[in-house]
């Protein structure tokens, strides 16, 4: 029984690492998504080109390869990252690329009448985006951002490949030491489900709150 209590402690530590990766990865992915998504709508061809190159590269290559590059290849050019830093970087940039398309599509989904109203009020492009278009588009983004956050959560399991002691890594340790497969991986399933449910509940609450304040933003 004492051994299983110790194994439960390992799983708890792994869950905390997974939670940390998810939070930090989302914190990186969100600004990257807005920067690249709005960059795709820029009038400057160079900005659009850079944004498209980033999006297509990170959507078109494997998260495994991106993680290995962050942890094993970057040190060859003098950039050494800890396993946690490499995991956050790879996850954030990967999910940020998907989020960028969400941002672009949401902004473009705003009705033409809103754009025309901004022109009628003599708002600059930046003023229109900041005060009228982006607040409305953000509400549209939230459900898909929720999906992206949950995908990032599930993708954190890949960091076990670079020996970061996340939930999946600790489950493998428990399995190797006890010979039990069902219990540790059932625990992993439950914890991932609880984390995903927490993200979903939080994002739905945010969406409802933002929707209530949306009417005052339309012009």
């Amino acid at each position: 029984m004492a051994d299983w209590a110790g194994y439960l402690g390992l799983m708890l530590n792994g869950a905390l690492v997974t939670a940390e990766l998810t939070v930090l990865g989302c914190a990186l992915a969100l600004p990257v998504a807005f920067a690249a998504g709005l960059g795709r709508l820029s009038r400057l061809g160079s900005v659009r080109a850079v944004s498209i190159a980033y999006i297509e590269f990170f959507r078109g290559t494997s998260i495994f390869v991106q993680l290995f590059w962050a942890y094993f290849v970057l040190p060859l050019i003098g950039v050494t990252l800890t396993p946690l830093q490499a995991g956050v970087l790879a996850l954030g940039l990967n999910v940020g690329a998907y989020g960028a398309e969400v941002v672009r599509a949401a902004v473009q989904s705003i009705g033409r009448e809103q754009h025309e109203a901004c022109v009628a009020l003599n708002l600059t492009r930046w003023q229109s985006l900041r005060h009228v278009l982006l607040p409305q588009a953000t509400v549209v983004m939230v459900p898909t951002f929720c999906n992206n956050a949950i995908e990032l959560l599930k993708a954190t399991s890949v960091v076990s490949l670079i020996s970061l002691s996340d939930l999946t890594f600790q489950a493998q340790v428990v399995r190797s030491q006890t010979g039990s497969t069902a219990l540790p991986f059932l625990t992993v399933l439950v914890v991932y489900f609880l984390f995903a449910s927490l993200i979903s509940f939080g994002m739905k609450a945010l969406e409802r709150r933002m929707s209530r304040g949306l009417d005052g933003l339309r012009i």
Side-chain angles (χ1 to χ4, degrees):
M1 182 64 73
D3 289 342
W4 279 107
Y7 296 141
L8 183 61
L10 287 177
M11 299 293 286
L12 179 59
N13 290 336
L16 293 176
V17 172
T18 294
E20 185 178 12
L21 275 167
T22 302
V23 172
L24 294 177
C26 288
L28 174 60
L30 187 61
V32 167
F34 272 93
L38 296 177
R40 283 212 60 182
L41 301 174
S42 174
R43 293 176 177 174
L44 298 176
S46 58
V47 175
R48 289 198 306 273
V50 170
S51 298
I52 292 172
Y54 157 71
I55 293 169
E56 295 305 323
F57 176 81
F58 280 94
R59 290 199 308 169
T61 56
S62 168
I63 181 62
F64 292 98
V65 178
Q66 295 165 18
L67 179 65
F68 288 164
W69 263 81
Y71 189 64
F72 295 113
V73 178
L74 288 183
L76 300 179
I77 59 174
V79 181
T80 302
L81 302 176
T82 66
L84 180 64
Q85 291 170 338
V88 169
L89 181 64
L91 291 168
L93 292 179
N94 181 271
V95 175
Y98 290 93
E101 287 296 272
V102 176
V103 172
R104 177 194 59 78
V107 172
Q108 291 182 327
S109 72
I110 302 302
R112 182 178 178 180
E113 69 280 359
Q114 296 294 305
H115 293 268
E116 293 174 347
C118 292
V119 173
L121 292 173
N122 200 31
L123 298 179
T124 66
R125 181 178 172 85
W126 167 245
Q127 289 173 330
S128 301
L129 185 65
R130 179 184 176 187
H131 297 294
V132 180
L133 304 179
L134 200 54
Q136 296 180 58
T138 303
V139 179
V140 179
M141 300 173 199
V142 171
T144 311
F145 275 169
C146 177
N147 291 337
N148 291 153
I150 292 174
E151 287 298 323
L152 190 151
L153 164 68
K154 294 187 292 184
T156 58
S157 60
V158 302
V159 302
S160 62
L161 298 173
I162 56 173
S163 300
L164 185 58
S165 301
D166 73 315
L167 187 59
T168 301
F169 181 88
Q170 297 291 24
Q172 293 170 343
V173 170
V174 173
R175 181 182 64 83
S176 66
Q177 293 184 0
T178 65
S180 173
T181 299
L183 185 58
F185 285 101
L186 177 61
T187 304
V188 170
L189 285 175
V190 172
V191 173
Y192 275 125
F193 176 75
L194 291 176
F195 281 169
S197 298
L198 183 62
I199 292 172
S200 181
F201 177 80
M203 296 296 276
K204 287 179 180 178
L206 176 63
E207 182 182 6
R208 288 194 297 268
R209 182 173 181 180
M210 294 177 67
S211 296
R212 285 197 295 267
L214 184 60
D215 291 338
L217 295 174
R218 293 194 177 98
I219 57 178

